[in-house]
């Protein structure tokens, strides 16, 4: 029993770090939009979403851990040429092509834009300045992998979880309204549509890299036993999966009950921002600022 408690105490922060890496502005916008559009079919849609948005990333973490943190070595099992091509595509997809621009844009739209005047929201300058500051902060937090666990896993993630917990509890205790009617593909095939939306979070691709980040952080912390590295990384994946499931279900519920209060929206970030304001007033905007920064 003591060994189990020691393992949990020593590695929980690593799991929270991985959870924080997954929970970015780019993927947090999907569940509330799913909640609004799935309507009465949200349960079935959410199951599909969790399979690809949580289950597949967990499997990817396990695969990378088993491969010793070498993504190209893992892909080389198909062929060396495929290994190079696949690794390049993964890094480009979760980097400059898709995930990074999406993260910066969504962070601005939800964390900063609500505090600006209507005339400034669409101006290029605030977005440019915010992006510079945002990615400078990201660079500071991530440039030293050995300090990632302390900076993110032990400090930022608990605060992030607290904000999400407050939004979730408030939405369950004081629902903004009843679920609307399902629209689009959620009418006839809610599971399949949720399945696709979960994949579009790109977490399964991110997991292939995040697993490497966790392994490297463990090595920089002085963990040299390879078996222990693998076990700790897999444990971190389970912690992250549990956390992501809670967050996605909570945000899905917020979106599902928000139509009566804020109307429909094609932007999940807009749903979060407006719902937070309905639930907590002006304090909700501050919550959104903390949620994305």
């Amino acid at each position: 029993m003591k060994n189990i408690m020691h393992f949990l105490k020593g590695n929980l922060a690593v799991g929270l770090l991985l959870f924080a890496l997954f929970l970015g502005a780019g993927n947090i916008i999907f569940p509330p939009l799913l909640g609004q559009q799935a309507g009465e079919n949200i349960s079935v849609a959410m199951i599909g979403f969790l399979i690809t948005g949580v289950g597949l990333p967990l499997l990817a973490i396990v695969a990378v851990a088993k491969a010793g943190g070498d993504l190209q070595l893992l892909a080389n099992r198909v062929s060396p040429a495929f290994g190079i091509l696949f690794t390049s595509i993964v890094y480009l997809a979760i980097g400059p092509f898709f995930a990074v621009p999406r993260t910066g844009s969504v962070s601005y739209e939800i964390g900063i834009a609500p505090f600006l005047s209507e005339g400034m929201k669409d101006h290029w300058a605030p977005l440019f300045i915010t992006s510079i500051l945002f990615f400078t902060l990201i660079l500071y937090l991530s440039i030293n992998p050995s300090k990632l666990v302390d900076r993110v896993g032990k400090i930022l993630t608990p605060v992030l979880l607290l904000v999400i917990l407050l939004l979730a509890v408030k939405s369950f205790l004081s629902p903004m309204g009843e679920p609307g009617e399902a629209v689009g593909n959620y009418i006839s095939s809610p599971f399949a549509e949720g399945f696709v939306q979960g994949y579009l979070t790109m977490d399964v691709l991110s997991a292939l890299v995040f697993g490497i980040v966790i392994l490297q952080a463990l090595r920089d912390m002085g963990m040299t036993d390879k078996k222990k590295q693998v076990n700790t990384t897999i444990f971190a994946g389970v912690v992250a999966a549990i956390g992501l499931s809670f967050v996605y279900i909570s945000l899905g519920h917020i979106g599902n009950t928000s139509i009566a209060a804020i109307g429909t929206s094609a932007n999940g970030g807009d749903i979060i921002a407006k719902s937070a304001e309905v639930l907590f007033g002006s304090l909700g905007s501050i919550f959104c600022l903390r949620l994305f920064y």
Side-chain angles (χ1 to χ4, degrees), residues 34-42 178-184 186-187 256 259 264:
L34 178 149
Q36 268 206 357
Q37 296 181 345
E40 68 275 12
N41 294 330
I42 185 174
E178 296 295 325
E181 295 183 358
V183 298
Y186 288 107
I187 299 175
N256 193 239
I259 295 179
T264 58

Side-chain angles (χ1 to χ4, degrees), residues 22 26 37 49 66 103 143 146 208-209 224:
F22 275 119
Q37 296 181 345
F49 185 90
K66 293 285 188 180
T103 299
I143 197 169
S146 64
L208 296 171
V209 177
T224 56

Side-chain angles (χ1 to χ4, degrees), residues 70-80 82-84 86-87:
D70 191 328
L71 178 57
Q72 187 171 341
L73 179 63
L74 181 64
N76 279 348
R77 296 182 180 183
V78 178
S79 75
F82 176 82
I84 295 174
F86 178 75
T87 304

